[in-house]
C-alpha cells in the first residue's frame, strides 16, 4: 500500500481553515478575557473594601492592610483563619503613587526588563 500526499490544493485549504479557526479562538479568548477583567475591575471599584498592601510571611501566611470605608485595618491571613491585629490612622501609612494608580501590563513588562541583570544599553555599547 502506497501513502499518498493528497492534493496540494486541499492540503493548503485544510491548513488555512485550521489557521483561521485558531485565530478565531485566540480572538474570542482575548476579548472574553478583556471583558471579564473590566467587569471584575468595576466590581472592585464599587465596593467599600480595598486591599492596600500585602506582605507574605510564609507559604500560607500574609499580613495585609485593608481599607474598609475610612478605616485602615491590619489583618493576618492564614490558611484557615483571618485575625484582626490593629487599626491604623491614614497619617501612619506611606502609600506610593505607583501602587495607588497601578500599572498596566506594558508598564510591568518594562519594569521587569529594567530589573533583569544584563539588560540595558548593550546595543549602544556594541556599536562603539
Amino acid at each position: 500500500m502506497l501513502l499518498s500526499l493528497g492534493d496540494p490544493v486541499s492540503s493548503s485549504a485544510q491548513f488555512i481553515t485550521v489557521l483561521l479557526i485558531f485565530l478565531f479562538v485566540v480572538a474570542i479568548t482575548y476579548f472574553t478575557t478583556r471583558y471579564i477583567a473590566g467587569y471584575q475591575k468595576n466590581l472592585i471599584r464599587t465596593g467599600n473594601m480595598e486591599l492596600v498592601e500585602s506582605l507574605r510571611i510564609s507559604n500560607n501566611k500574609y499580613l495585609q492592610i485593608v481599607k474598609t470605608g475610612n478605616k485602615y485595618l491590619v489583618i493576618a491571613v492564614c490558611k484557615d483563619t483571618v485575625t484582626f491585629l490593629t487599626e491604623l490612622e491614614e497619617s501612619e501609612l506611606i502609600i506610593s503613587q505607583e501602587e495607588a494608580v497601578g500599572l498596566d501590563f506594558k508598564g510591568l513588562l518594562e519594569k521587569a526588563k529594567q530589573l533583569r541583570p544584563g539588560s540595558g544599553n548593550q546595543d549602544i555599547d556594541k556599536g562603539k
Side-chain angles (χ1 to χ4, degrees):
M1 187 161 93
L2 296 172
L3 295 174
S4 85
L5 296 175
D7 185 21
V9 174
S10 68
S11 295
S12 297
Q14 284 180 340
F15 175 73
I16 291 172
T17 303
V18 169
L19 184 63
L20 289 174
I21 291 172
F22 173 73
L23 291 175
F24 179 71
V25 169
V26 168
I28 285 183
T29 304
Y30 172 78
F31 288 115
T32 302
T33 304
R34 296 276 309 221
Y35 172 75
I36 291 173
Y39 178 75
Q40 291 291 334
K41 190 181 284 189
N42 285 337
L43 284 179
I44 291 172
R45 287 185 181 165
T46 60
N48 290 314
M49 296 178 61
E50 176 186 357
L51 179 63
V52 177
E53 189 173 340
S54 183
L55 173 68
R56 183 177 180 176
I57 297 174
S58 68
N59 284 343
N60 296 326
K61 297 178 183 175
Y62 297 89
L63 283 178
Q64 295 182 338
I65 300 174
V66 180
K67 181 180 179 184
T68 56
N70 293 329
K71 295 182 180 183
Y72 289 90
L73 308 174
V74 179
I75 58 173
V77 179
C78 300
K79 182 179 178 183
D80 296 324
T81 61
V82 176
T83 308
F84 170 76
L85 298 178
T86 188
E87 183 176 337
L88 297 174
E89 297 294 326
E90 189 171 357
S91 61
E92 296 175 312
L93 297 174
I94 301 171
I95 301 175
S96 69
Q97 292 299 324
E98 184 175 296
E99 290 176 10
V101 172
L103 291 175
D104 60 344
F105 181 75
K106 186 175 180 180
L108 289 173
L109 186 62
E110 291 299 322
K111 191 173 182 180
K113 284 181 181 179
Q114 292 173 356
L115 295 176
R116 192 179 80 207
S119 66
N121 295 334
Q122 295 176 352
D123 295 333
I124 296 172
D125 295 337
K126 288 180 185 177
K128 290 183 178 181

